[in-house]
Amino acid sequence: MPEPLVLIIDDEESMRDACAQILLKNKYRIEVAGDGASGLQKIRDLRPDAVIVDLKMPGTSGFEVLENLRLIDPQIAAIVITGYATVDSAVEAMKKGAYDFLPKPFTPEELRLILARALDHRRLALEAEALRREKKLLEENIITMVSHQLRSPLVAIQQYFEVILAGIAGDTAEKPKEMIRRARERLDALLNLINDWLDLARIDKGKIIGKLEPLNLLSLLEKLMEFMDPLAKEFGVSLEWTGSPAPMAEALGDKETLEQVFTNLISNAIQYNKPQGRVSISLREDPDCLVVEVQDTGIGISREHLPLIFDQFFQISRGESKKMKRSGLGLAIAKKIVEAHNGQIEASSTPGSGSTFTVRLPKAPPAAVSA
Amino acid sequence: MTKNPSKILVIDDDPDFVEAVTVILVSASHQVITASNPEDGKKKILSEKPDLVLLDIMMDSLFDGYSFCHAVKTSKEFESIRNTPIIFVSAVKEIAGSRFGFKGEEQGMAGPDDYIDKPVKPAELLARIDKLLRT
């Protein structure tokens, strides 16, 4: 990425020079314009990352620059400088799309800070925009992607059969048998994928709400840890309880679907772990909810993938099911279930050292005191 | 059995399909090199200089195969191996047509030398390869 391009539009030469001097130390590329009209021309031609504009200029005013800037590219970060620091003009500028304003006189540090924040804001907005576009593209091609996922295993199986029937699979009986075993594995994976898709389509908020009841999360998690122990042993991973033993409120949940959520999180934590890794499971009571955390010591999730891991389209596009028995839809299903509970699920990760999945569930109302 | 055994690069992200096609090619005494993604494919087409490439159209992202083929046939990077015949292999017959609004060749993308549908019939695949290698 080249250094951010910052355009300074001000009719006072001394002001332009001062800003440029301050910012040059921070590795920005600087352009200047002495009036609003030539400023707008430079915006069109150069597409700067940020514009610093004086509100009060003869000719085209700062307000007009802001209005036109928004039409040219609304993602350009605009900061206004104003000598007459009235609340009204600042509010007006913000309404017209300015990110922030800087009343004169200001210190170099103030200018640097506001510009850095504006550029940060712009970068995040651009990243979000790119994600939205990618997701839209995936959604538009969903039929192609889904049929690809369904067709790939079938084609692979057919291809093995073609080879076996052509009599070229090998001289021994073992080779064709191996091909049939592989074909069976692909069929198993395909069935899992279809089941998960159906699950995803069937999870219905109305139905889950209807089944909510006070639920002892502690005993549910204990039971699941016992159930998952063989899998953990198989992967050489230790399962640890790090939650508080203190009695706490019950959750308001649907046992069956929540078991599915935590089974999925724990089995991911085991299977994506390092050998001799650790999975820590904890439960605590916050003022307004119960919080379950499943933490692993695996390879972690890269920063650009993190916002996407709960997205069914992302999982489909990655084609995980081709290499694994899992459909890759488990997290999309978990998110849908937790949200149907009016809860939240989120992930944080440090690539290289592990990920933490956090589930927040509403508390059950205190039991009615019987007379 | 084919009379001219050759070096064939199979680029496909499905390991089972690659395995099965390898068996077919080896049965005709061809030497097989494989790549499971376009990047690896680009490396191997340059380093191994295969006589022919079998290319899956739709790998992890849509239409990967199209851009791969276009790059090999037109970009300077691949000048030395530009004439290597490429056969598209795809289970999505419609992609070659217009069902999903993508007409590679109409959009100015360089096309392959031949198409074949997945799953491939062993005899048909070998015959098409022979034909391209003879010309």
Side-chain angles (χ1 to χ4, degrees):
Chain A
M1 284 266 274
E3 287 138 9
L5 178 63
V6 179
L7 172 64
I8 301 163
I9 310 173
D10 200 317
D11 58 320
E12 286 174 50
E13 194 182 352
S14 60
M15 196 65 193
R16 293 197 301 267
D17 289 351
C19 288
Q21 280 304 317
I22 294 167
L23 296 175
L24 274 171
K25 285 188 192 145
N26 290 59
K27 295 198 171 175
Y28 295 117
R29 288 175 297 145
I30 305 288
E31 283 284 336
V32 293
D35 60 80
S38 65
L40 279 172
Q41 196 51 50
K42 284 203 166 174
I43 292 171
R44 283 193 200 91
D45 295 344
L46 303 171
R47 293 299 164 114
D49 296 283
V51 173
I52 297 172
V53 58
D54 188 8
L55 273 190
K56 200 174 183 186
M57 292 183 290
T60 309
S61 76
F63 286 118
E64 284 169 75
V65 170
L66 282 178
E67 272 169 13
N68 284 294
L69 172 67
R70 196 153 57 168
L71 299 177
I72 297 168
D73 181 352
Q75 304 283 20
I76 294 177
I79 295 165
V80 299
I81 298 175
T82 154
Y84 50 114
T86 64
V87 173
D88 286 354
S89 60
V91 167
E92 186 63 25
M94 303 288 263
K95 268 192 199 153
K96 291 194 191 309
Y99 171 74
D100 209 342
F101 71 99
L102 205 53
K104 282 190 230 175
F106 50 83
T107 67
E109 206 35 55
E110 281 168 338
L111 175 63
R112 285 196 200 103
L113 196 74
I114 281 187
L115 180 63
R117 263 211 322 254
L119 285 169
D120 233 25
H121 178 79
R122 168 182 155 82
R123 185 179 52 75
L124 288 175
L126 288 177
E127 278 174 14
E129 176 68 26
L131 275 180
R132 264 199 304 279
R133 260 203 306 274
E134 188 184 355
K135 194 172 162 188
K136 186 155 171 281
L137 187 71
L138 283 173
E139 281 171 1
E140 281 165 4
N141 286 298
I142 192 67
I143 293 178
T144 317
M145 302 304 293
V146 166
S147 50
H148 180 61
Q149 291 288 298
L150 294 175
R151 203 170 348 212
S152 297
L154 294 176
V155 165
I157 292 162
Q158 277 178 311
Q159 198 60 64
Y160 277 136
F161 288 177
E162 291 289 349
V163 167
I164 295 168
L165 288 172
I168 53 175
D171 302 332
T172 63
E174 198 43 45
K175 280 279 172 59
K177 230 183 190 170
E178 176 56 29
M179 290 183 182
I180 290 171
R181 264 197 294 273
R182 284 293 304 147
R184 186 179 59 188
E185 277 173 31
R186 295 299 294 267
L187 283 174
D188 286 343
L190 180 58
L191 283 177
N192 281 342
L193 178 65
I194 293 173
N195 287 339
D196 279 357
W197 270 337
L198 282 179
D199 261 2
L200 201 53
R202 257 198 312 243
I203 298 162
D204 173 16
K205 183 158 185 173
K207 259 188 217 150
I208 285 183
I209 294 243
K211 285 161 71 186
L212 296 184
E213 54 183 10
L215 193 65
N216 185 334
L217 274 185
L218 184 63
S219 69
L220 183 143
L221 289 169
E222 276 173 353
K223 209 182 74 190
L224 283 181
M225 284 178 69
E226 213 170 288
F227 176 73
M228 305 298 283
D229 199 50
L231 184 73
K233 288 215 166 70
E234 186 189 321
F235 279 79
V237 167
S238 64
L239 274 187
E240 284 170 13
W241 174 255
T242 53
S244 128
M248 59 182 86
E250 294 188 306
L252 193 59
D254 167 48
K255 184 158 178 275
E256 191 188 330
T257 53
L258 285 183
E259 270 180 1
Q260 197 180 345
V261 169
F262 294 120
T263 305
N264 181 274
L265 293 182
I266 299 170
S267 79
N268 277 351
I270 293 172
Q271 296 180 57
Y272 293 112
N273 220 311
K274 289 184 192 129
Q276 265 85 55
R278 212 169 53 244
V279 175
S280 320
I281 297 155
S282 74
L283 170 66
R284 67 168 194 270
E285 182 175 349
D286 273 8
D288 53 347
C289 62
L290 290 160
V291 185
V292 180
E293 283 188 345
V294 178
Q295 192 173 13
D296 66 57
T297 54
I299 53 163
I301 303 159
S302 68
R303 200 169 139 254
E304 67 265 27
H305 282 164
L306 204 55
L308 298 170
I309 55 171
F310 295 107
D311 190 320
Q312 57 174 311
F313 298 111
F314 171 67
Q315 298 300 339
I316 288 170
S317 72
R318 274 211 308 179
E320 283 242 347
S321 58
K322 201 166 291 165
K323 287 115 201 165
M324 302 205 202
K325 284 199 178 160
R326 314 148 59 80
S327 68
L329 291 174
L331 289 177
I333 293 173
K335 181 178 163 76
K336 215 170 160 191
I337 292 173
V338 171
E339 288 182 350
H341 280 79
N342 292 323
Q344 289 140 18
I345 184 167
E346 59 188 35
S348 61
S349 184
T350 312
S353 61
S355 311
T356 303
F357 286 82
T358 306
V359 175
R360 292 188 174 79
L361 290 167
K363 288 186 201 174
V369 182
S370 52
Chain B
M1 292 294 110
T2 165
K3 287 176 201 79
N4 48 346
S6 311
K7 195 194 249 190
I8 296 175
L9 172 61
V10 180
I11 308 175
D12 195 304
D13 64 345
D14 190 310
D16 289 309
F17 182 81
V18 170
E19 161 103 27
V21 166
T22 301
V23 170
I24 296 173
L25 297 174
V26 167
S27 79
S29 308
H30 291 302
Q31 185 194 343
V32 180
I33 304 141
T34 65
S36 63
N37 58 61
E39 291 72 52
D40 194 26
K42 282 178 183 171
K43 259 184 236 149
K44 286 192 171 144
I45 199 171
L46 287 171
S47 66
E48 299 280 346
K49 301 194 175 18
D51 299 302
L52 184 142
V53 177
L54 289 183
L55 175 64
D56 183 20
I57 297 185
M58 189 167 162
M59 282 175 273
D60 270 352
S61 70
L62 295 170
F63 315 122
D64 270 352
Y66 273 104
S67 38
F68 180 91
C69 183
H70 185 74
V72 168
K73 302 263 179 202
T74 61
S75 101
K76 193 145 180 65
E77 192 188 352
F78 298 101
E79 210 165 11
S80 59
I81 47 89
R82 177 156 303 162
N83 296 324
T84 312
I86 296 180
I87 302 182
F88 270 1
V89 185
S90 175
V92 188
K93 293 176 198 175
E94 298 87 351
I95 280 183
S98 61
R99 181 131 163 224
F100 294 102
F102 188 93
K103 297 174 212 169
E105 277 142 80
E106 276 180 28
Q107 294 186 5
M109 303 280 262
D113 298 270
D114 202 356
Y115 289 90
I116 189 163
D117 294 331
K118 275 185 182 182
V120 301
K121 306 275 181 221
E124 185 190 347
L125 176 66
L126 294 175
R128 283 179 189 239
I129 290 174
D130 264 6
K131 190 173 153 237
L132 279 176
L133 290 177
R134 269 201 309 275
T135 50

